[in-house]
Amino acid sequence: MTQVFTPTDADIQTAAQVLRSGGLIAFPTETVYGLGANAMDETAVQAIYTAKGRPSNNPLIVHVADAAQIAEFAMMDDVAQKLANAFWPGPMTLVLPLIVDGPLAPTVTAGLNTVAVRIPNHPIAAQLLKHANTPIAAPSANPSGQISPTQADHVLSGLHGRIDGVIQGDGCNVGLESTIVGFSPAPTLLRAGGIAVEALEQVLGTPIAHHQDSKTLTAPGQMLSHYAPDAPVRLNVVTPQAGEVYLGFGPMQCDENLSPSGDLNEAAENLFAALHRLNATGRPIAVAPIPSTGVGLAINDRLTRAAAPRD
Ligand code: TXA
Ligand code: MG
């Protein structure tokens, strides 16, 4: 049974207790819903992989309430600290050197010597992390490879009966996952996301390298097919074909519009919910062209993976 919690302090405390005793709880963040487990409990972390059907070589992001907790398991240099000061709490994940023999469950990092860390900026996530009082490993709360969840209903339709609970709540306002930055040793974009590359570069004062090769282990989660609806997806479509449902952007005629005014932040916020609805029609999906500036880079990254061949 999957318990549905309301976003009251009492329910969030109960959910935190479930996490502390080894359970799996889905919760809203400002990006997408996460599926949390105590990052120091190996059995609980393994249960995340089982619930999602996630390949075991794809490590998880550790979520903490504040930066002081990070020092127990990872190391931050001055450049990482600069990004943290600018963007945390918020939709940015840093891949940091792992402290050897630290307290994290080994499966969290899938055997790598680095760990991905994020401080989310959503009141429910923040409260849950505070009450749990332990680092929480949390991938997006969807079956592996499928469309990410931005509503409690999305979580339930994918994982009902496979997890202990979900906290209801609005506010996945960014709408797509965090931007992931690694250091190898120069700052490198591992996944486009809610913080625009332009904003990172402004803080760093230099252009950031982009991770090129999606097949190596430095970004194991960057499989080409991901975020995939059941039906085929075509991109950069100006004239949809008969039978297709049309996902638009900017002023145009279409079945769903990510942002009639052409606002990329609004489009990102609406992206996954629109894909869930269009997927439910069972028809092939055609998507209008979307600019790749700002958060548009992340929108096009997700759409490219949604459109990729499935195997
Ligand atoms: O916004 C987000 O980041 C959401 C919310 C819940 O915080 N989480 C999320 O998790 O998107 P997930 O598991 O769907 O994506 C995590 C990504 C994967 O591509 C994974 O491979 C990568 O982070 N990752 C995790 N640890 C890593 C590491 N040590 N080195 C490189 N990539 C890592
Ligand atoms: Mg995911």
Side-chain angles (χ1 to χ4, degrees):
M1 266 296 288
T2 299
Q3 210 177 333
V4 177
F5 296 102
T6 62
T8 57
D9 192 55
D11 266 19
I12 294 170
Q13 289 211 37
T14 309
Q17 194 49 49
V18 174
L19 283 173
R20 288 190 65 80
S21 53
L24 301 185
I25 296 287
F27 60 97
T29 82
E30 75 278 28
T31 59
V32 300
Y33 263 78
L35 177 60
N38 180 354
M40 307 210 284
D41 181 334
E42 175 66 15
T43 309
V45 172
Q46 284 182 10
I48 289 182
Y49 287 81
T50 307
K52 281 180 60 89
R54 183 178 179 102
S56 60
N57 68 346
N58 189 4
L60 307 176
I61 297 174
V62 175
H63 296 67
V64 294
D66 60 72
Q69 278 180 287
I70 298 170
E72 290 170 28
F73 58 84
M75 291 174 280
M76 286 180 79
D77 66 10
D78 289 350
V79 181
Q81 196 58 58
K82 199 170 173 184
L83 289 173
N85 292 345
F87 299 114
W88 278 346
M92 178 188 70
T93 294
L94 297 180
V95 174
L96 303 170
L98 182 68
I99 290 180
V100 181
D101 295 328
L104 294 186
T107 301
V108 170
T109 52
L112 298 179
N113 56 9
T114 54
V115 58
V117 187
R118 181 163 103 82
I119 304 180
N121 181 25
H122 185 293
I124 296 172
Q127 220 176 332
L128 183 70
L129 290 170
K130 193 173 120 238
H131 288 313
N133 196 26
T134 177
I136 298 295
S140 51
N142 53 294
S144 185
Q146 296 183 19
I147 307 169
S148 301
T150 53
Q151 299 169 10
D153 283 351
H154 299 158
V155 176
L156 288 169
S157 73
L159 296 175
H160 193 271
R162 304 178 68 85
I163 61 177
D164 296 292
V166 56
I167 304 176
Q168 283 178 320
D170 303 322
C172 298
N173 295 330
V174 174
L176 41 71
E177 292 83 350
S178 59
T179 300
I180 305 183
V181 179
F183 304 90
S184 52
T188 305
L189 181 76
L190 298 182
R191 177 178 73 183
I195 298 286
V197 166
E198 294 88 334
L200 292 176
E201 292 181 335
Q202 195 165 9
V203 168
L204 292 169
T206 52
I208 189 168
H210 290 228
H211 180 71
Q212 297 299 335
D213 180 1
S214 59
K215 291 177 206 73
T216 67
L217 254 183
T218 44
Q222 295 294 67
M223 304 95 114
L224 191 53
S225 175
H226 209 97
Y227 316 101
D230 302 316
V233 178
R234 287 200 309 133
L235 304 184
N236 297 313
V237 175
V238 178
T239 312
Q241 292 165 2
E244 285 180 328
V245 280
Y246 191 32
L247 180 59
F249 175 81
M252 63 171 64
Q253 285 221 312
C254 52
D255 298 287
E256 282 264 356
N257 200 321
L258 290 173
S259 171
S261 68
D263 175 333
L264 287 167
N265 292 316
E266 181 183 35
E269 181 174 358
N270 292 330
L271 177 67
F272 287 131
L275 286 177
H276 277 282
R277 283 191 295 271
L278 294 181
N279 189 37
T281 68
R283 288 158 59 189
I285 300 169
V287 186
I290 299 169
S292 273
T293 51
V295 79
L297 185 67
I299 296 174
N300 281 303
D301 170 82
R302 304 305 185 268
L303 286 170
T304 302
R305 293 174 203 283
R310 306 300 157 81
D311 34 43

